[in-house]
Amino acid sequence: WDANVKECPDSVRFFQLDDERFLERWASSSSSKQKYDVVVFNFAINRDKALLFCRKVLKDDGVLLAPVNVQRDYWMKQFYALLDKEGNTLWTANDVGAWSVQFQPDVTQATCQGIWCPPYNGFQRMAR
């Protein structure tokens, strides 16, 4: 982030966290009353997680952009989804140009598959 972003408005925040740690930090801080205009995921998620984020952290007119799995826990293909606070779909894209949408899986999910998932990548899940 720091090496590649030359200019960024003060209102833009980047959190280098998995979603569970972000929600935990957000809920335990005074910023839990702060809601966001836009939330963007840079890893694949299941639709239920996208809906959770829409309802918890978006402003009333906010949007969430995420690569959402085409099927629950199927990490080999996603589509882009733009959702509003209620989880209504505002826009989707299955392919971007000639590229099929495929992102790194959500490492917090027990169904995460491949070398980018625990235990191969060193990620430690939060204790429950």
Side-chain angles (χ1 to χ4, degrees):
W1 177 262
D2 294 330
N4 295 301
V5 175
K6 301 301 178 196
E7 291 183 36
C8 184
D10 290 337
S11 61
V12 174
R13 301 282 183 265
F14 175 75
F15 297 94
Q16 190 171 343
L17 299 167
D18 63 78
D19 58 279
E20 292 177 352
R21 285 174 175 84
F22 170 83
L23 282 180
E24 180 183 70
R25 183 183 290 180
W26 177 80
S28 67
S29 71
S30 61
S31 66
S32 66
K33 293 182 178 30
Q34 176 187 355
K35 301 287 182 154
Y36 295 94
D37 295 310
V38 178
V39 171
V40 178
F41 276 82
N42 196 31
F43 56 88
I45 59 174
N46 284 315
R47 182 167 173 81
D48 59 336
K49 185 169 282 188
L51 297 176
L52 171 76
F53 267 76
C54 288
R55 293 182 183 121
K56 278 194 172 216
V57 304
L58 288 180
K59 290 182 178 179
D60 288 341
D61 60 347
V63 293
L64 178 137
L65 177 66
V68 177
N69 291 329
V70 295
Q71 294 177 318
R72 179 169 179 72
D73 295 331
Y74 181 70
W75 302 103
M76 302 304 162
K77 175 94 171 112
Q78 293 82 38
F79 64 95
Y80 276 113
L82 184 69
L83 307 172
D84 68 12
K85 180 174 178 54
E86 301 304 317
N88 298 311
T89 302
L90 304 175
W91 172 85
T92 63
N94 291 320
D95 297 309
V96 179
W99 298 97
S100 184
V101 179
Q102 183 178 12
F103 276 75
Q104 173 182 328
D106 180 353
V107 296
T108 66
Q109 297 293 300
T111 57
C112 185
Q113 304 165 0
I115 60 170
W116 47 78
C117 299
Y120 309 109
N121 69 351
F123 177 78
Q124 299 293 315
R125 289 190 174 95
M126 291 177 61
R128 299 263 179 234

